Amino acid sequence: MSAPEPSADCLFCKIVAGEIPAEIVHATETVVAFRDVNPQAPTHVLIVPRSHYANAAEVAHWEPTTMSELVGAAAAVADKEAFGDSYRLVFNTGPGAGQTVFHAHLHLLGGRPLTWPPG
Ligand code: AMP
């Protein structure tokens, strides 16, 4: 597992840096939350670390506190958007699981009934 390096070609690094527009709904010193451009639920927000890591396991390894902050930020957004106690948090990891952007991101989905198992 390699240490984080900022990536010039990374879409989410550019959103974090303000170089690409996004609808930011929550931000702290370590994480940024913005609306997904292709929402899969009435609320679909991505919460990302400001540092570049390829996936959730790398965040947990290198910045365990940030991992906790990602979940805390997701809960804060869920609270703001009044989901009650029901929402879904997802880290797609690897292309076979649907990961398309290789900067770790936590999906927050809510605002409709969410079935299980997912596809
Ligand atoms: P994943 O497939 O888990 O890697 O999730 C990547 C997510 O990023 C997808 O849900 C995309 O819709 C979303 N996405 C791609 N480009 C942007 C963008 N410019 N702003 C916001 N969300 C984006």
Side-chain angles (χ1 to χ4, degrees):
M1 199 176 287
S2 53
E5 283 175 24
S7 171
D9 294 334
C10 172
L11 174 64
F12 289 172
C13 284
K14 288 181 180 162
I15 288 177
V16 166
E19 292 165 14
I20 287 181
E23 189 184 341
I24 292 176
V25 294
H26 187 86
T28 71
E29 270 183 29
T30 49
V31 306
V32 178
F34 52 89
R35 293 200 192 276
D36 196 296
V37 279
N38 183 23
Q40 303 302 311
T43 292
H44 186 173
V45 168
L46 303 175
I47 306 98
V48 308
R50 287 185 184 273
S51 311
H52 181 86
Y53 297 96
N55 57 46
E58 287 197 6
V59 179
H61 180 82
W62 293 102
E63 281 187 40
T65 308
T66 298
M67 177 53 76
S68 148
E69 288 175 17
L70 288 171
V71 175
V77 175
D79 196 40
K80 239 189 272 181
E81 308 228 347
F83 296 161
D85 60 0
S86 299
Y87 53 88
R88 183 166 294 157
L89 301 180
V90 176
F91 283 109
N92 292 327
T93 302
Q99 187 176 7
T100 57
V101 178
F102 291 85
H103 178 127
H105 50 281
L106 176 57
H107 292 261
L108 164 65
L109 297 145
R112 66 166 167 82
L114 295 160
T115 55
W116 191 263

